[in-house]
Amino acid sequence: MEAVTPSDSRLRALLDATKAIASDLSLESLLQRLVTTAAELTGARYAALGVIDRSGRQLERFLTAGIDDETHAAIGELPHGRGILGVLIDEATPLRLHDLSDDARSVGFPPNHPPMHTFLGVPILLRGVAYGNFYLTEKAGGEDFTDEDQEIVTLLAGQAAVAVENARLYEATTQWSKQLESLIEVGNALATETDLGRLLDLIARRLRELLDARLVAVMLPAGAAELRFAAVAGDGGEEFLGRTMPRSSSKSGRVFDRGRSERSDSVLDDPEVDRDVVRAFGARTGLWVPLVTRSETIGLIAVHDKLGADARFTDNDQGDAGHLG
């Protein structure tokens, strides 16, 4: 009987991981399987998988292996993609280092982070599109990562890229379907509904569902100097229905006058925002879309706080709001 070599064992482990991955439908658990497998097959004490956000500038997901919950809590906020992590985002090519701290591009580690020296970074690529990176450190025995380690992680990176792309395609298709349903419903209402208040309320409610937002308001001009809350959908917004705000000293009024959509990732840091209004709303982020017909602005949609871990709105959200409005 032939002896089983270390290479044979790694190949079998890789095939077993592939079979397990193929049966897993959840993106989060699938990526966690991949990062754990990468650590096991390369002998890395620590491993991580970062998914780059749609802007291509920073990480939106960061999954790890080898770091317990207590250490995670002590480290605090997960990385966004700076230093060596940022290098991999910008260059999207494999990187092996004998000691992270010797590289001039390294920015060091936050307090309570375990020491890390040897390093292997592998981009998660599909058809030239970068979806993220694998990061592995502290190979067993203090050895450097090898060509074979890099090849194995590159195979796993290919599976991760397919999984992320499929998840985003599904998300885009689902979003498009929701948008189409909302457009059809609003289109039918425009043809049959004679009560403007009910029509605007429908637009606010459907847009809140479409954008997964906490609060949506539709505002109309009230004379030359004010905007009136004509419809509000969401958390605690009903009390604002019928109220007015000055155009000259509010973000809504300024966007109305400029006639172009705008976003704010932090309303409290935006000098144009009416502080009293956003505090009353409890808002953190904002999206403002003017309602324009025949080159004339006739109203405005204001949206606050996307639900979930990240309250910021995206380019796609801005486009969806424009289509429905």
Side-chain angles (χ1 to χ4, degrees):
M1 184 175 180
E2 294 184 8
V4 177
T5 67
S7 293
D8 290 336
S9 298
R10 293 175 96 183
L11 179 59
R12 288 178 183 176
L14 185 59
L15 291 172
D16 288 343
T18 301
K19 291 176 183 177
I21 288 162
S23 66
D24 205 328
L25 298 179
S26 162
L27 177 63
E28 201 78 11
S29 59
L30 188 153
L31 295 180
Q32 187 62 59
R33 279 177 183 263
L34 285 170
V35 73
T36 301
T37 300
E40 292 172 351
L41 294 182
T42 60
R45 182 175 182 181
Y46 305 111
L49 188 158
V51 179
I52 302 171
D53 69 9
R54 293 176 187 272
S55 73
R57 295 191 295 269
Q58 62 181 7
L59 300 175
E60 67 175 21
R61 274 191 177 97
F62 196 78
L63 300 95
T64 64
I67 297 180
D68 58 33
D69 293 341
E70 185 178 349
T71 304
H72 261 305
I75 294 172
E77 187 178 4
L78 293 174
H80 294 291
R82 299 177 182 85
I84 294 297
L85 305 192
V87 171
L88 282 160
I89 292 174
D90 293 337
E91 298 180 4
T93 56
L95 177 65
R96 295 209 304 266
L97 299 172
H98 174 68
D99 194 328
L100 275 166
S101 61
D102 290 341
D103 194 291
R105 298 166 295 183
S106 177
V107 296
F109 297 110
N112 303 308
H113 198 287
M116 295 180 178
H117 301 283
T118 55
F119 176 83
L120 168 62
V122 175
I124 296 170
L125 292 168
L126 184 64
R127 293 187 290 274
V129 177
Y131 287 101
N133 293 287
F134 274 99
Y135 313 101
L136 298 106
T137 63
E138 295 298 280
K139 186 173 174 67
E143 299 177 3
D144 289 338
F145 289 97
T146 65
D147 289 339
E148 187 179 1
D149 293 329
Q150 184 173 313
E151 289 174 5
I152 287 172
V153 179
T154 299
L155 289 172
L156 294 173
Q159 299 203 32
V162 171
V164 174
E165 182 180 65
N166 286 344
R168 288 185 175 173
L169 287 172
Y170 176 77
E171 180 183 307
T173 302
T174 303
Q175 187 73 359
W176 181 85
S177 178
K178 287 169 60 180
Q179 181 186 22
L180 182 60
E181 290 176 6
S182 296
L183 286 170
I184 291 172
E185 184 175 1
V186 171
N188 290 337
L190 284 170
T192 59
E193 183 59 72
T194 58
D195 186 302
L196 179 61
R198 283 201 292 265
L199 177 60
L200 295 180
D201 179 67
L202 172 63
I203 291 173
R205 287 187 288 106
R206 289 294 170 265
L207 189 55
R208 184 186 178 220
E209 294 170 4
L210 184 65
L211 299 183
D212 197 25
R214 187 175 63 81
L215 186 75
V216 174
V218 181
M219 286 176 274
L220 300 178
E226 294 183 313
L227 291 175
R228 175 177 60 86
F229 287 91
V232 184
D235 259 358
E238 298 80 7
E239 63 184 89
F240 285 86
L241 196 60
R243 291 191 190 181
T244 60
M245 68 162 61
R247 280 168 56 173
S248 62
S249 61
S250 67
K251 180 78 171 186
S252 296
R254 291 184 174 105
V255 172
F256 182 95
D257 292 337
R258 288 192 286 259
R260 63 175 184 269
S261 299
E262 297 183 28
R263 294 200 314 266
S264 177
D265 291 342
S266 175
V267 292
L268 292 178
D269 294 329
D270 190 325
E272 291 190 329
V273 165
D274 185 315
R275 298 289 188 275
D276 292 337
V277 172
V278 297
R279 285 196 182 97
F281 279 157
R284 293 180 290 158
T285 66
L287 169 62
W288 295 265
V289 178
L291 303 174
V292 180
T293 179
R294 297 189 180 91
S295 300
E296 180 184 356
T297 303
I298 60 171
L300 180 98
I301 293 173
V303 189
H304 292 292
D305 299 343
K306 197 170 181 70
L307 298 174
D310 190 347
R312 296 172 298 176
F313 294 98
T314 66
D315 290 338
N316 288 339
D317 294 327
Q318 193 164 320
D320 289 344
H323 290 145
L324 195 55

